[in-house]
Amino acid sequence: MVKFDQTVLSDHEKGLHGDCTRAVVYTIAQKDLNLPHPIDHENPSQWNMEFFEKLEEQGYVLDFFPNNEKDHWPRFVGRSGISPRGIPHMVVWDREKNEMFHDPHPSRNGLVPGTEDG
């Protein structure tokens, strides 16, 4: 499986937000979908809706799976939490092995235990 890395790293002093979500989507889709940055640069507390629109135009959709339906989840999912750098982060999680498959950040440090969603 091809693992995609972030191309933008967070630097909040410069107003930059990392694109770990985009790298996770590319890894799960197994291709570069040429999507815009997932964070709205005008309002960094919001998602960039163009990211989702372009994703759907290519036949993909991000979805949240209810915890009571875990038997129907795909093997590889995006899992979010807090990175050791103290900021929100997303990694590719392998549900069969119940472990991180890929951290798109160059540190490869993953998520702080106990902060993960799911």
Side-chain angles (χ1 to χ4, degrees):
M1 194 167 173
V2 177
K3 297 176 181 179
F4 289 82
D5 290 335
Q6 292 179 234
T7 58
V8 179
L9 301 178
S10 291
D11 185 339
H12 291 211
E13 289 179 13
K14 294 181 180 177
L16 294 174
H17 294 268
D19 66 340
C20 56
T21 301
R22 181 167 47 188
V24 166
V25 168
Y26 290 179
T27 300
I28 293 170
Q30 283 296 276
K31 62 181 172 180
D32 183 335
L33 299 169
N34 196 26
L35 299 174
H37 196 290
I39 302 295
D40 185 337
H41 291 293
E42 302 278 321
N43 187 354
S45 66
Q46 300 294 317
W47 290 105
N48 177 5
M49 296 315 294
E50 184 183 8
F51 172 84
F52 297 98
E53 291 164 4
K54 297 287 185 188
L55 185 65
E56 288 179 16
E57 285 174 10
Q58 297 183 57
Y60 296 92
V61 63
L62 289 183
D63 204 353
F64 293 96
F65 299 98
N67 280 333
N68 62 350
E69 296 180 12
K70 284 189 177 182
D71 292 340
H72 302 289
W73 289 12
R75 176 176 179 177
F76 294 101
V77 296
R79 192 165 191 186
S80 61
I82 303 298
S83 76
R85 297 167 306 283
I87 58 175
H89 187 49
M90 185 177 283
V91 300
V92 179
W93 195 261
D94 182 335
R95 291 190 52 257
E96 281 185 16
K97 294 182 178 179
N98 196 30
E99 64 185 28
M100 184 179 71
F101 173 75
H102 176 58
D103 181 349
H105 188 272
S107 71
R108 309 287 189 241
N109 288 332
L111 304 173
V112 174
T115 68
E116 308 99 334
D117 290 337

